[in-house]
Amino acid sequence: MPRPSREQCEQKPPYSYISLTAMAIWSSPEKMLPLSDIYRFITDRFPYYRKNTQRWQNSLRHNLSFNDCFIKVPRRPDRPGKGAYWTLHPQAFDMFENGSLLRRRRRFKLKKNDKDVLNEELAALANINRFFLAQQQGIQVNDGYYQSLPPPEPTLPQHQLVNSPIRNMISPTTTIPIPKTRRQKQDLKTKPKKAFTIENLLRKDKSQTNNQNEIIDVDDSEPLVTSNSTSPSHSSTISTPQPKLPPASTLLPGAIPFFQYPHTTAALNQMGYDLPIHPLLMMNPLLPSSYFQHNYYPPTSQNQLQSNLRLV
DNA sequence: CTCTAACTCAATG
DNA sequence: CATTGAGTTAGAG
């Protein structure tokens, strides 16, 4: 019987909390989840974590705070709830380059200044949220920093996203492979040493031996990469009614124009942009400008977007 | 074997 | 729920 034995179920999956968390985040349509959903992702597919929740959840939270690769994003005002959202820093996408989901080559650490900048922006974002709420309650706020969108650019070259193991491995229907520990690897000293990467693991003929995989499988299907903007209508926790845009006068210095927020891919495409938009862009009013400083987007659009969304 | 990422425990806000 | 620190464990090279 292929079914994972009870014993198997109770074995600790050979993934670090970091990679488990990254998987959870990546599996979500918005690439961004509240803590509770991260917990759920893990317990849903790893029976091992259905016990001792206090213990591992504390460790997980530790990791979220400790590692710069995780960014805590304030909730947007139109989406009330408890806890912030957690997402991956764009530069952390290839954290697992070496293919190991157990231990990274090196820790992802932001340079102090980058971190400061990011934090300032997140703070500004939180401010926007407060302002928005104040606004709704009829409280007067100072006039702002509205900037209109830039004129459309000619079509830009398509940018390729990094090939991230995490990214590639998360598909609701794929089983999550269990990497061998070093000891185990030694044991099968039988040959072919292919690079141990998720790509290779997934490439493996599925018909063969799937039963050493623990887990999974989920019902609902989400596209791996969402770059179409027709709003993600799925996702249990986030059925988002389109936010009502606040009057164009509610921004603080240092704030990103909230009402420009519906920068969906489609919208940008219509304006002549041809970019792969990070889901954060689609779903968040948050958008720290540092997101635009990385080679994540083509240089021209980087600059363009940066200068137009940039805080004053 | 060494280095250091990952984990645990625990205090604090 | 989030942050921080200190001490331990264990993978990678």
Side-chain angles (χ1 to χ4, degrees), chain A residues 153-210:
Chain A
E153 280 185 1
T155 303
L156 297 164
Q158 192 69 29
H159 177 69
Q160 303 183 320
L161 292 176
V162 291
N163 217 16
S164 157
I166 287 291
R167 214 166 140 256
N168 292 338
M169 73 179 295
I170 304 298
S171 163
T173 54
T174 52
T175 50
I176 299 176
I178 299 187
K180 301 256 185 283
T181 63
R182 195 211 209 150
R183 182 175 282 96
Q184 289 173 314
K185 282 186 199 160
Q186 285 180 339
D187 289 350
L188 17 135
K189 50 173 23 147
T190 39
K191 36 335 326 356
K193 2 243 32 288
K194 259 165 88 189
F196 176 66
T197 65
I198 298 302
E199 285 90 342
N200 285 336
L201 287 171
L202 292 181
R203 208 182 328 273
K204 256 217 255 222
D205 189 342
K206 326 179 90 120
S207 59
Q208 81 179 40
T209 144
N210 261 358

Side-chain angles (χ1 to χ4, degrees), chain A residues 24-33 220-228 231-238 278-280 282-283:
Chain A
I25 290 173
W26 263 114
S27 75
S28 71
E30 301 174 306
K31 309 303 186 243
M32 177 175 76
L33 286 179
D220 53 6
S221 51
E222 245 92 65
L224 232 197
V225 177
T226 1
S227 29
N228 50 355
S231 71
S233 46
H234 36 289
S235 174
S236 37
T237 51
I238 352 180
H278 188 283
L280 277 175
M282 298 166 51
M283 304 310 299

Side-chain angles (χ1 to χ4, degrees), chain A residues 73-89:
Chain A
V73 167
R75 266 176 193 274
R76 38 191 282 188
D78 59 308
R79 201 185 285 182
K82 55 268 123 66
Y85 279 84
W86 290 94
T87 190
L88 279 175
H89 192 287

Side-chain angles (χ1 to χ4, degrees), chain A residues 250-270:
Chain A
T250 57
L251 295 183
L252 279 179
I256 295 159
F258 180 86
F259 32 81
Q260 288 185 8
Y261 170 44
H263 277 175
T264 62
T265 301
L268 284 169
N269 282 343
Q270 268 191 348

Side-chain angles (χ1 to χ4, degrees), chain A residues 5 66 101 103 120-121 178 207 257 286 310:
Chain A
S5 70
F66 183 73
L101 296 174
R103 190 188 165 107
E120 277 176 31
E121 291 168 351
I178 299 187
S207 59
L286 312 172
R310 158 84 94 206

